[in-house]
Amino acid sequence: MKHLHIKNHITSYKKIYHLLIISLIFQIFFVINLYSKEQVGLITDQKGLIYKTNSDGEQIKLNLYDSIFINDEIFTESNGTATILFNDNTSMLLQKSSSFTVNEFILSDTKVNLFYLIINKGGAIIESGNIAKMDNGSMKIETENLTLGVRGTRFNIKSELNGSYTVSLAIDSFGKVGSLNVSSEGNLKTLFDPTQVLSAEQGNEIIERPATDSETKELEDATEEFIQSSKIDENIIQKNLEDQLIQGNLQDVNNDGKVDVSDINILKQTIKSNKQEKITFITENSNEDNVTFLSNVLNASDDGSIGESINEIFESKNDLIAILVSDLSDSDSTFITTSKNESNNEIKNKIYNQFLSDDTNEDFNLEIISKIISKSDKETITKIVDNVQAQSLSNTENNKSLKVLSAVATFNNNESVNLDDEKQTEVNRLIKDAIENIKENNEDTSLLANIITKSDLSVIEEVVDFIQDAEEANQQSGLSLKVLSSVATIQSEESLSLDSDEQTEVNRLIEQAVERAGDNDEDSWLLANIITKSDLSVIEEVVDLIQDLDSVDEESNISLKVLSSVATIQSEESLSLDSDEQTEVNRLIEQAVERAEDNNEDSSLLANIITKSDLSVIEEVVDLIQTAEEGDEESNISLQVLSSIVEIQSEESISLDTEEQTQVNRLVKEALIRNRDEEEDELLKGILDNIETEIEEVIEEIINEEQEAAEEEEAAEEEEEATEEEEEATEEEEEATEEEEEAAEEEEEAAEEEEEAAEEEEEEEAEEEYDANGFSFTTPFLHRDTGTEFNKEGFNSDGYNDQGFNENGDYDSVYDTNVSES
């Protein structure tokens, strides 16, 4: 019984299933009959009121998504416009107070295709579809006094107040301009220029004139109407159909005797199918150079519809996918930025895989991936990162993790995007893979440097940690040096700077980078690149570490190699350091020149520095070379350096200015002097044969200096002889003088003796001629000391003064001169 019961149920289900199939077939047949046999179009947008008058003369108000049939006259009132999508994907924007009728419409793969439309009044902007583009297709538009033959274009036809009709062209949604054959009263003209307008009054000839700005703008503005007409938004369709159901305007499309939700579902699928066909048409007529209209239609659609369209485009016209996804990303489409729709996620995974595996358009694809990451939610970022990691795992030769990280850093930096912590954490999952699979070549190290220079502090810190770990695991690695050099290059070329905390993180690489640097051309160039393109603090630290390297290894002369590379970079890239930065670099010069050996390699390096540096550096290097030679009589480094200078100038067409050449000529002089007896010295001959004409001046200067030196030496010898003669004469004069002095002394002594004798004699005589009081014995009795009659005390020989008084006060008038006079 139980088995019988189950069997009866199965039989019942089969009957129900067959009934459903029959019902569905009937519904499909009805819809096909209703929408294909006579239907030629669909109202996809409307504003205000729109009506139709059918073949029975009945006037019926039309609603959104209602069908347009052959011979129906469709008209708008003064406040209404309508957008119609015809079955061949022609779009029409019917203007206010306008009407049209489709007289014939044939669309077939086997027959001649025909679209015959009559504008009864007013006007319309039309963008032609398949029929006007077919070789076996004909699209004809008629007005009261004009007939238009359309060949694939957008055009505007409208009646004016004076009764004339005007026709104008525009670039269509695909960037193309077709043509219109316009005829009136036996006159025919072809319009193919969007800047021109044709017009004709009843019975008059066709006149061509320039299009006005308003006419041009009217055609351009129709683009937005066509976008809205072509989009697929299931929610809007559903809502409009539900409103029509409530208002009693919905048709019984499944012919079951009632209008309900089932009719909404059938109509919705039919509308979506028509619109999807339109999107397919747009896709077929789009190309990589003009995909904007398609992008705008998709962006205006709902996410599910976008996914379905993108999936179809992915299979049918894959070359458009990258541009479409990029445009959708630019528009912040939720189809791109969110991961709620699982069907869409499957489609997007296919797209991500294609972008990541397509190496022919790698840069563009990475830019799109980075743009999506920077605009998406955490779940979307997670899915993309998973895809990237899977690609990196399957192809370790192409470091997709590194490339994506670099692209994200560039996009975020350019667009000033900051991911929140959760999103950044997802992106950072790529860092470990990126550095583990990195190749120490220019491309990969530049990508890693790009991440450092354009990321925030947390990313820089993590990247630096991973670089240091990678170098610790591989003692032969020089990753940090290569990355630092690339960082310096990017900062210099793009005028980027890190804040103090970020620079501190980067500087953690410097010591390790310089310590691992080898005394070779590559590492020297990398160090020089860092020096020439970094700020003062970095230069100072790098120079200190280079000097430490040379101090540890007596055989090393990395300073010289670095200085030579600095000169080359500055010359080739027209870079210059400020005075403080150059001062730091110059700290390497003395040590470099002191360690330079008299060989081709070191001489070439010194010559390179001289030919490509400024005057102050040249002067210092020349000074140090000359000092080095003075300390080593066997050295001939001036000659070696000069030879290299000549070679570099010849090969690289480098010339020095007058002051710089003057400094070099000091080396020429030194070389000539040191090799003046080496007449067979081929190296010197080569220099003299190839050096600039200033050598003649140098040789002349040497000759002049030697002549001057010889003359000066001869004059010095003569002067010395004269000096000796003068000294001998002086000695003789001194001896004669001494004899004269001795004779003079003897004469002086004799004179003194004579004087003393005279004095004694005088004293003796005085004692005989003067009394005890010093007065002469003879008249007039003058005093020997005063020469007067009175002594110093004023008394005469008798002891009286001229007033007649003596020492005792006794008065005697005989001695009073006053009395005597009186």
Side-chain angles (χ1 to χ4, degrees):
M1 290 293 293
K2 183 176 180 180
H3 292 295
L4 180 61
H5 182 71
I6 293 172
K7 185 177 180 182
N8 289 336
H9 271 291
I10 292 172
T11 303
S12 299
Y13 287 142
K14 285 183 178 180
K15 288 180 180 180
I16 294 170
Y17 177 75
H18 287 305
L19 287 173
L20 287 172
I21 292 295
I22 293 169
S23 175
L24 182 60
I25 291 171
F26 176 77
Q27 290 174 11
I28 291 171
F29 173 79
F30 178 82
V31 169
I32 290 172
N33 183 60
L34 180 64
Y35 287 96
S36 296
K37 187 175 182 181
E38 295 180 293
Q39 182 214 24
V40 294
L42 188 71
I43 298 172
T44 53
D45 197 10
Q46 72 174 114
K47 296 178 181 67
L49 298 176
I50 179 170
Y51 297 91
K52 75 173 180 178
T53 301
N54 61 21
S55 56
D56 297 329
E58 183 182 6
Q59 183 172 306
I60 302 169
K61 178 177 173 292
L62 293 176
N63 299 297
L64 185 62
Y65 307 128
D66 279 355
S67 296
I68 305 297
F69 296 92
I70 291 285
N71 296 324
D72 282 348
E73 181 182 6
I74 311 300
F75 60 91
T76 57
E77 293 192 338
S78 60
N79 67 339
T81 62
T83 307
I84 293 96
L85 173 62
F86 293 98
N87 289 356
D88 76 330
N89 295 304
T90 294
S91 292
M92 170 193 279
L93 175 57
L94 187 64
Q95 307 286 26
K96 297 174 182 178
S97 302
S98 301
S99 73
F100 74 89
T101 303
V102 178
N103 197 24
E104 286 186 79
F105 191 94
I106 300 172
L107 182 61
S108 169
D109 292 335
T110 56
K111 301 177 182 178
V112 173
N113 295 280
L114 178 63
F115 189 171
Y116 178 22
L117 183 145
I118 299 173
I119 303 291
N120 302 305
K121 68 172 183 175
I125 296 175
I126 299 171
E127 184 161 297
S128 59
N130 285 324
I131 290 175
K133 297 179 187 301
M134 292 177 176
D135 292 337
N136 63 342
S138 173
M139 183 175 184
K140 184 169 71 171
I141 311 289
E142 280 192 2
T143 69
E144 184 178 357
N145 63 342
L146 287 179
T147 300
L148 277 65
V150 182
R151 295 307 299 173
T153 191
R154 180 187 295 185
F155 61 95
N156 189 0
I157 180 167
K158 61 179 178 179
S159 59
E160 305 293 344
L161 294 175
N162 64 1
S164 68
Y165 266 88
T166 59
V167 182
S168 54
L169 282 178
I171 298 171
D172 67 13
S173 300
F174 314 110
K176 298 177 181 178
V177 178
S179 63
L180 293 172
N181 292 321
V182 182
S183 59
S184 174
E185 301 290 335
N187 298 313
L188 175 65
K189 277 197 174 183
T190 300
L191 182 63
F192 52 82
D193 186 350
T195 66
Q196 298 296 307
V197 172
L198 297 182
S199 63
E201 296 181 14
Q202 188 72 33
N204 293 334
E205 64 178 344
I206 300 169
I207 299 171
E208 186 173 351
R209 62 171 174 82
T212 65
D213 291 342
S214 61
E215 286 170 331
T216 301
K217 187 174 186 303
E218 186 178 17
L219 274 163
E220 290 174 349
D221 290 347
T223 297
E224 185 57 34
E225 297 291 340
F226 292 151
I227 289 170
Q228 295 303 317
S229 168
S230 303
K231 73 180 181 183
I232 304 175
D233 192 323
E234 193 168 340
N235 293 327
I236 293 176
I237 296 171
Q238 180 77 25
K239 184 178 183 307
N240 276 283
L241 292 176
E242 287 174 355
D243 289 345
Q244 290 182 44
L245 176 62
I246 293 169
Q247 295 164 7
N249 296 326
L250 199 67
Q251 300 178 46
D252 179 17
V253 294
N254 62 3
N255 204 27
D256 64 352
K258 57 183 178 179
V259 180
D260 54 16
V261 174
S262 62
D263 296 300
I264 290 177
N265 292 335
I266 294 173
L267 282 170
K268 184 170 69 175
Q269 292 304 316
T270 303
I271 294 163
K272 283 186 63 179
S273 176
N274 287 344
K275 284 176 168 281
Q276 187 59 58
E277 187 178 337
K278 173 68 174 181
I279 291 177
T280 301
F281 169 79
I282 296 170
T283 301
E284 290 171 349
N285 286 277
S286 298
N287 56 52
E288 291 180 69
D289 296 327
N290 198 323
V291 75
T292 304
F293 185 72
L294 177 57
S295 297
N296 289 335
V297 170
L298 291 178
N299 189 54
S301 301
D302 65 73
D303 287 356
S305 299
I306 295 174
E308 291 174 11
S309 298
I310 289 289
N311 195 39
E312 181 181 321
I313 296 168
F314 192 92
E315 301 298 333
S316 63
K317 208 161 187 181
N318 192 270
D319 57 324
L320 301 181
I321 286 294
I323 304 172
L324 286 172
V325 171
S326 179
D327 288 349
L328 289 170
S329 178
D330 287 337
S331 302
D332 296 327
S333 167
T334 54
F335 166 77
I336 296 294
T337 61
T338 62
S339 298
K340 297 175 183 177
N341 186 316
E342 283 303 320
S343 296
N344 284 351
N345 288 339
E346 292 180 12
I347 297 165
K348 288 191 290 186
N349 278 336
K350 289 198 300 184
I351 294 170
Y352 301 151
N353 284 329
Q354 176 170 298
F355 285 171
L356 293 168
S357 59
D358 179 14
D359 293 336
T360 57
N361 299 301
E362 187 174 47
D363 290 343
F364 184 52
N365 292 335
L366 287 170
E367 181 183 339
I368 299 170
I369 288 286
S370 67
K371 190 189 304 182
I372 296 171
I373 287 175
S374 300
K375 294 186 172 191
S376 296
D377 58 20
K378 175 179 173 290
E379 290 72 21
T380 300
I381 295 173
T382 300
K383 291 181 184 300
I384 295 174
V385 169
D386 289 343
N387 273 278
V388 175
Q389 287 184 319
Q391 285 273 352
S392 292
L393 189 63
S394 63
N395 182 8
T396 56
E397 293 302 312
N398 193 338
N399 197 333
K400 291 295 181 182
S401 294
L402 180 63
K403 292 176 179 177
V404 169
L405 279 170
S406 179
V408 170
T410 297
F411 183 86
N412 287 352
N413 181 71
N414 293 343
E415 303 297 325
S416 300
V417 174
N418 290 311
L419 298 178
D420 63 34
D421 291 343
E422 286 189 344
K423 293 178 182 178
Q424 190 63 58
T425 299
E426 286 303 305
V427 175
N428 289 358
R429 287 198 289 130
L430 297 173
I431 295 176
K432 184 170 184 267
D433 293 340
I435 296 177
E436 283 182 350
N437 293 320
I438 198 167
K439 304 290 187 298
E440 291 189 26
N441 53 38
N442 288 339
E443 181 183 7
D444 281 13
T445 53
S446 293
L447 291 170
L448 195 52
N450 191 63
I451 297 165
I452 289 173
T453 53
K454 296 174 182 175
S455 298
D456 61 22
L457 181 63
S458 63
V459 174
I460 296 172
E461 185 176 5
E462 190 162 353
V463 170
V464 168
D465 285 342
F466 275 114
I467 291 173
Q468 289 185 320
D469 291 344
E471 281 199 323
E472 287 176 8
N474 179 8
Q475 293 301 314
Q476 302 304 313
S477 172
L479 180 60
S480 54
L481 179 58
K482 294 182 176 71
V483 170
L484 281 171
S485 177
S486 294
V487 165
T489 297
I490 292 170
Q491 288 181 311
S492 174
E493 291 177 351
E494 303 185 29
S495 299
L496 293 173
S497 60
L498 302 175
D499 65 32
S500 57
D501 290 338
E502 294 168 343
Q503 189 64 54
T504 298
E505 283 303 309
V506 175
N507 288 357
R508 288 198 289 132
L509 294 175
I510 293 178
E511 183 173 359
Q512 187 164 304
V514 181
E515 284 179 353
R516 286 171 170 256
D519 187 1
N520 56 59
D521 292 343
E522 181 184 7
D523 287 2
S524 299
W525 188 93
L526 293 170
L527 287 168
N529 195 59
I530 296 169
I531 288 172
T532 53
K533 296 172 183 174
S534 298
D535 61 23
L536 180 62
S537 62
V538 173
I539 295 171
E540 185 175 5
E541 186 170 356
V542 172
V543 168
D544 284 342
L545 290 165
I546 291 172
Q547 288 185 318
D548 291 343
L549 269 183
D550 272 345
S551 298
V552 171
D553 183 1
E554 291 296 327
E555 299 299 318
S556 169
N557 197 0
I558 195 169
S559 297
L560 181 58
K561 291 185 175 69
V562 169
L563 282 171
S564 178
S565 295
V566 166
T568 297
I569 292 169
Q570 287 182 311
S571 174
E572 291 177 351
E573 302 183 29
S574 299
L575 294 173
S576 61
L577 301 175
D578 65 31
S579 58
D580 290 337
E581 293 168 344
Q582 189 64 55
T583 298
E584 285 302 311
V585 175
N586 289 356
R587 289 196 290 129
L588 295 174
I589 294 177
E590 184 174 358
Q591 185 166 298
V593 179
E594 283 179 355
R595 286 177 172 239
E597 296 182 2
D598 191 358
N599 56 43
N600 288 337
E601 181 184 7
D602 287 4
S603 299
S604 295
L605 294 170
L606 287 169
N608 194 62
I609 296 168
I610 289 173
T611 53
K612 296 174 182 175
S613 297
D614 62 22
L615 181 62
S616 63
V617 174
I618 296 171
E619 187 173 4
E620 185 168 356
V621 172
V622 169
D623 284 343
L624 290 165
I625 290 173
Q626 289 186 318
T627 302
E629 279 198 325
E630 287 171 7
D632 182 2
E633 291 297 327
E634 299 300 319
S635 174
N636 207 4
I637 195 168
S638 294
L639 185 60
Q640 294 281 352
V641 170
L642 281 170
S643 176
S644 295
I645 288 174
V646 170
E647 186 176 347
I648 291 169
Q649 288 182 313
S650 174
E651 290 178 354
E652 303 184 30
S653 300
I654 294 174
S655 60
L656 302 176
D657 65 29
T658 304
E659 291 183 335
E660 293 168 344
Q661 188 64 50
T662 298
Q663 292 301 319
V664 174
N665 287 350
R666 291 164 53 205
L667 292 180
V668 175
K669 187 189 301 182
E670 186 72 28
L672 286 167
I673 291 170
R674 282 182 170 257
N675 295 275
R676 64 190 305 165
D677 297 327
E678 301 293 332
E679 296 181 359
E680 300 302 321
D681 192 308
E682 294 298 326
L683 186 57
L684 181 58
K685 282 184 178 181
I687 294 171
L688 298 180
D689 289 341
N690 290 282
I691 203 165
E692 297 179 3
T693 55
E694 286 87 346
I695 187 63
E696 296 174 2
E697 298 175 10
V698 177
I699 294 171
E700 185 177 351
E701 184 181 345
I702 293 171
I703 294 170
N704 291 337
E705 285 180 359
E706 289 177 349
Q707 288 176 347
E708 288 173 5
E711 290 171 1
E712 287 175 2
E713 186 177 352
E714 185 178 348
E717 288 175 358
E718 291 174 355
E719 187 177 347
E720 187 177 352
E721 289 175 1
T723 302
E724 288 175 358
E725 290 175 357
E726 286 177 5
E727 287 176 354
E728 289 175 1
T730 302
E731 287 176 1
E732 290 174 357
E733 287 176 4
E734 286 176 355
E735 288 175 1
T737 302
E738 286 176 3
E739 290 175 358
E740 289 175 2
E741 286 176 354
E742 288 175 3
E745 285 176 3
E746 290 174 358
E747 288 177 3
E748 188 177 349
E749 287 175 4
E752 288 176 357
E753 289 175 358
E754 287 177 4
E755 187 177 352
E756 287 175 2
E759 287 177 357
E760 289 175 1
E761 189 177 339
E762 285 176 2
E763 287 175 1
E764 289 174 359
E765 289 176 355
E767 288 175 0
E768 292 177 358
E769 293 177 4
Y770 296 93
D771 63 16
N773 292 320
F775 288 96
S776 174
F777 287 116
T778 61
T779 187
F781 308 111
L782 299 177
H783 197 274
R784 67 183 176 198
D785 293 332
T786 62
T788 65
E789 293 179 7
F790 301 94
N791 65 11
K792 294 179 179 179
E793 285 79 19
F795 297 99
N796 62 19
S797 58
D798 292 330
Y800 287 90
N801 59 24
D802 60 355
Q803 295 175 349
F805 291 94
N806 64 14
E807 291 180 354
N808 298 324
D810 297 328
Y811 175 77
D812 188 339
S813 61
V814 176
Y815 301 103
D816 189 342
T817 59
N818 293 322
V819 174
S820 299
E821 291 174 357
S822 62

